[in-house]
Amino acid sequence: MTRRTFLGMPATAPPGVGHLRGAESFPAAARRGLADPQLRRNLRHATTTIRAKSGGVIAELPDWEQLRAAGAAIKADTLARLPELLEQLEARVTEAGGVVHWAADAVEANRIVTDLVRATGVDRVIKVKSMATQEIGLNEALVAAGITPVETDLAELIVQLGGDRPSHILVPAIHRNRAEIREIFLREMPGVDPTLTDDPTALAAAARRFLRQTFLSTPVAVSGGNFAVAETGTLAVVESEGNGRMCLTLPQTLITVLGVEKVVPTWRDLEVFLQLLPRASTGERMNPYTSMWTGVTPGDGPQAFHLVLLDNGRSAVLADEVGRQALRCIRCSACLNVCPVYERAGGHAYGSVYPGPIGAVLSPQLTGIEDNASLPYASTLCGACYDACPVKINIPELLVHLRAEAVESHRRPTAESIAMAAAAYAMDHPRLYAAGQRAARLSRFAGRRGRGLPPPLNGWTGSRDLPEPPAQTFRDWWADR
Amino acid sequence: MSSRDVVLGRLRAALAGGTEPVEVPRDYRHTGTLDLDQLVQRLTDYRAHVHRVAEAAVADTIAGILPPGGTVVVPPGLPPAWLPPTVTALPDDGLDNARIGAADAVVTAAAVAIAQTGTVVLDGSPDQGRRVLSLLPDRHICVVRADQVVATVPEALARLTPHRPLTWISGPSATSDIELIRVEGVHGPRLLHVLLLP
């Protein structure tokens, strides 16, 4: 499949900007996660704890399956009518005093936000945790323009101060323990009390002190959005800490970057997602804070509101009739918490800001399969993610679908494809095959130490036992009779 | 070609293969049996402090929560009888953030409360005020009348007006970002008191 870039046709996210592509393939990156016992302990603790909490509050709802079915259908309906719903959203937001911008990709979205911030004359913005702005690499773009973005979610702040990358959608600093967080704060947080302990309450209080003045003195905020209601123009952000409320309430200007798939048709649809999201995500009946706003409200909150509607590969995902269901995702991270591969490899192994099972299907579709060809294989196809998904995305089906695409897209031969081609050639040529079998028998004597294959095939035998070649081949036995 | 045309054009092209209309099943629960004890239990579960009092006792209850001489931010439409004489009221006539943040508490009414989730919702009405009022002070005292309580999330949405700025509050500010240990009060109010009137 070639990258389609001409105007008006579905296009994938451009390379060289944002965080959808890792520097290395999943197997190479996963090896580092697997070799880090601290990371694996932290992840195991986190995923098992959240799973148990989530299971408990889901069991309280006798209509959970009906809510899932409704959530899946609302999103499927949304995707089927996406252009008209976005136009409706644009009209309602504009009527309510907001300004709507359209961004074809990460480069354009970054430029729009940077220009909006520059127009206010400030050189610092406060940010609400947002997957969309991470996806497009907004922080890097702002820094390049001389603007300091301050992450205000505690975990994102830990990641930002640590010069690190998030490893989970919901709890981005889950790979860090309290001692590491204390060290990061002592090293990177200006004005921190040097006697700071690693007690979580003390660490959270340090972040509160550090950010309070920033909240009160920064007139521009950037957020993402969990939902946008086409019918009313209402935006919704769910959160826990109150940093979201600070960013959405205190500044004069609010800029919200929203993936086009986040729209829902009606106000009433929120009654489904506000039940599904917190229970599937943090395992709570309701998250501590949800903020909803429609355009601007005179005398209350930001008096300038900009909504940036982002494509960045979503149209390409929508174009795939099987793959488009990945756009139903409400970023709850339930699939991460049940995935045996994620639990062991960790979020960084996926290379993209979207880790875990949903990342393994969303990232390759957003970038084009060529750029994330190893991700559809980062799964055992056990199906736990499908069962956990509150909007019933059939991730295993998608993984298989994308594996087929990855195979088709392979233009460069791999070690495996060379070996298979050689085997096919030998099996087509009986004398060569017989010679090969005799050679294999010789290897009984050649390799005393470790019965692995030579490079580049040693990766296969590194974790598998190679059956010992028999002393006599069937052909030799037949010939001897 | 504007980016708007580009994005909408791409999305239309992506759907050019045709789509089937999707019927949304709405057979989940819309209403439930109202249970005020459940609201109390779920709020308490979130470490909010709940006081079940008669309206005549609101002022005394607030006096018990706050230190004598404490300052209280007051939205313009809050019933004056709710405030005890022992506190100093700061009516919001455009208070600046520094004064709001330095207050010992804010007292607001609510628009709706949801029993099944332990949630109170503020909608910016005069007895609730601007969003910032319930954000900066360290204590939020929220007065809820029993007739404002509904059982389910769908019932709550049906009572709310989307064009008002809405703040849904379920317990005090909290984070679980450090080894998943829940810590109250990161940026929002560290203490939430709900006074539930009959």
Side-chain angles (χ1 to χ4, degrees):
Chain A
M1 200 175 80
T2 53
R3 207 181 290 287
R4 291 168 294 185
T5 50
F6 51 96
L7 294 180
M9 284 302 284
T12 50
V17 58
H19 303 283
L20 286 171
R21 295 164 173 86
E24 50 195 352
S25 69
F26 180 85
R31 204 159 288 136
R32 224 177 351 270
L34 288 169
D36 183 345
Q38 176 75 56
L39 171 80
R40 293 182 59 177
R41 256 197 308 277
N42 291 359
L43 281 175
R44 191 179 159 74
H45 171 62
T47 54
T48 50
T49 306
I50 299 173
R51 267 200 315 258
K53 256 182 87 182
S54 178
V57 292
I58 285 172
E60 283 180 3
L61 292 188
D63 56 343
W64 180 252
E65 286 307 319
Q66 286 90 325
L67 285 166
R68 276 182 88 204
I74 292 167
K75 284 289 187 174
D77 174 44
T78 302
L79 294 175
R81 312 190 273 134
L82 196 50
E84 64 188 87
L85 290 173
L86 290 169
E87 286 177 310
Q88 193 187 9
L89 176 69
E90 178 189 43
R92 295 293 95 81
V93 169
T94 308
E95 280 165 18
V99 182
V100 177
H101 310 257
W102 298 75
D105 61 27
V107 177
E108 189 173 20
N110 288 336
R111 184 178 50 70
I112 292 168
V113 177
T114 305
D115 288 350
L116 288 170
V117 177
R118 276 203 177 124
T120 66
V122 303
D123 59 4
R124 184 177 68 196
V125 297
I126 44 179
K127 284 193 69 209
V128 191
K129 175 174 160 16
S130 139
M131 298 307 296
T133 63
Q134 283 180 27
E135 172 191 320
I136 62 177
L138 178 64
N139 286 4
E140 289 82 351
L142 290 172
V143 168
I147 299 160
T148 305
V150 181
E151 292 290 351
T152 64
D153 172 82
L154 178 57
E156 291 291 351
L157 179 69
I158 293 165
V159 168
Q160 188 179 41
L161 291 176
D164 199 355
R165 288 181 302 132
S167 64
H168 191 284
I169 291 175
L170 173 71
V171 272
I174 198 62
H175 56 292
R176 297 286 199 180
N177 61 26
R178 62 176 83 187
E180 293 174 300
I181 294 167
R182 173 179 172 269
E183 280 167 34
I184 291 168
F185 279 12
L186 286 176
R187 197 173 62 234
E188 303 291 338
M189 194 180 270
V192 73
D193 177 0
T195 64
L196 180 69
T197 69
D198 67 4
D199 172 34
T201 307
L203 293 169
R208 180 185 175 103
R209 273 192 299 277
F210 172 66
L211 285 176
R212 210 14 111 100
Q213 198 46 45
T214 309
F215 283 130
L216 290 167
S217 61
T218 309
V220 181
V222 178
S223 85
N226 292 92
F227 306 102
V229 182
E231 174 187 50
T232 62
T234 308
L235 273 289
V237 165
V238 303
E239 50 132 359
S240 290
E241 294 171 11
N243 66 304
R245 292 181 65 192
M246 292 276 181
C247 293
L248 300 169
T249 307
L250 293 173
Q252 277 306 298
T253 301
L254 171 62
I255 304 165
T256 299
V257 181
L258 189 85
V260 289
E261 81 286 10
K262 290 298 184 84
V263 65
V264 297
T266 68
W267 171 248
R268 190 188 174 195
D269 294 331
L270 293 178
E271 71 190 20
V272 174
F273 295 108
L274 288 179
Q275 295 189 73
L276 289 173
L277 180 54
R279 290 182 201 252
S281 179
T282 52
E284 294 172 296
R285 297 184 185 104
M286 191 63 86
N287 46 288
Y289 295 130
T290 298
S291 297
M292 297 182 192
W293 71 98
T294 307
V296 297
T297 306
D300 185 354
Q303 296 300 294
F305 170 53
H306 296 272
L307 177 63
V308 182
L309 296 173
L310 176 73
D311 179 346
N312 203 40
R314 285 157 178 79
S315 56
V317 186
L318 189 67
D320 183 333
E321 285 178 27
V322 179
R324 74 172 56 137
Q325 58 179 309
L327 293 178
R328 289 186 209 156
C329 176
I330 55 173
R331 313 284 188 258
C332 73
S333 74
C335 61
L336 276 62
N337 298 327
V338 298
C339 177
V341 176
Y342 173 84
E343 185 177 313
R344 287 160 182 81
H348 292 163
Y350 295 78
S352 158
V353 294
Y354 302 112
I358 187 62
V361 296
L362 194 54
S363 309
Q365 293 197 88
L366 288 169
T367 62
I369 191 76
E370 303 92 335
D371 290 4
N372 269 311
S374 66
L375 284 183
Y377 297 91
S379 164
T380 62
L381 300 179
C382 73
C385 48
Y386 185 22
D387 294 338
C389 179
V391 287
K392 298 175 85 164
I393 301 170
N394 190 337
I395 297 177
E397 176 193 29
L398 263 175
L399 287 163
V400 172
H401 172 70
L402 291 170
R403 285 179 189 187
E405 240 187 73
V407 169
E408 275 173 37
S409 79
H410 261 161
R411 271 175 263 127
R412 280 170 304 156
T414 61
E416 189 189 356
S417 70
I418 293 166
M420 287 302 163
Y425 184 81
M427 285 175 185
D428 273 350
H429 298 77
R431 273 196 295 179
L432 189 61
Y433 186 66
Q437 286 189 316
R438 283 193 294 278
R441 202 175 62 217
L442 285 176
S443 74
R444 280 164 61 87
F445 309 103
R448 271 278 157 259
R449 185 187 141 275
R451 218 172 289 284
L453 291 166
L457 304 175
N458 52 353
W460 177 257
T461 52
S463 56
R464 293 173 182 82
D465 289 326
L466 192 63
E468 186 164 332
Q472 190 181 29
T473 67
F474 173 79
R475 282 155 178 268
D476 288 344
W477 173 80
W478 184 258
D480 286 349
R481 282 173 59 92
Chain B
M1 207 180 201
S2 74
S3 295
R4 181 183 191 277
D5 295 339
V6 171
V7 174
L8 286 171
R10 284 174 178 176
L11 296 174
R12 289 206 174 90
L15 296 170
T19 52
E20 296 288 311
V22 181
E23 192 70 37
V24 176
R26 300 273 181 184
D27 55 348
Y28 51 84
R29 294 179 306 168
H30 298 268
T31 57
T33 312
L34 182 58
D35 179 354
L36 292 180
D37 292 335
Q38 185 181 48
L39 175 68
V40 174
Q41 180 257 315
R42 301 230 152 138
L43 278 166
T44 310
D45 208 26
Y46 282 138
R47 301 182 205 181
H49 302 274
V50 184
H51 314 258
R52 297 188 74 163
V53 295
E55 176 145 16
V58 168
D60 281 350
T61 309
I62 292 175
I65 294 169
L66 289 176
T71 50
V72 176
V73 175
V74 180
L78 195 82
W82 286 0
L83 288 182
T86 52
V87 300
T88 307
L90 295 173
D92 179 33
D93 50 5
L95 290 172
D96 65 30
N97 290 339
R99 292 194 73 196
I100 299 169
D104 292 302
V106 58
V107 179
T108 71
V112 176
I114 309 167
Q116 286 178 0
T117 60
T119 305
V120 296
V121 186
L122 310 191
D123 73 355
S125 295
D127 55 0
Q128 296 151 58
R130 298 184 285 154
R131 283 171 283 173
V132 66
L133 301 186
S134 62
L135 176 61
L136 293 179
D138 214 14
R139 265 193 207 88
H140 180 193
I141 301 170
C142 183
V143 184
V144 179
R145 297 191 319 266
D147 63 11
Q148 293 177 315
V149 184
V150 296
T152 65
V153 174
E155 289 170 281
L157 271 154
R159 283 201 188 190
L160 292 165
T161 309
H163 289 91
R164 291 180 174 278
L166 301 176
T167 305
W168 297 47
I169 299 170
S170 307
S173 146
T175 183
S176 299
D177 281 337
I178 302 162
E179 297 181 14
L180 294 184
I181 293 161
R182 188 177 168 101
V183 176
E184 265 85 35
V186 194
H187 303 297
R190 275 183 267 212
L191 293 161
L192 173 66
H193 290 267
V194 176
L195 273 56
L196 180 56
L197 309 186

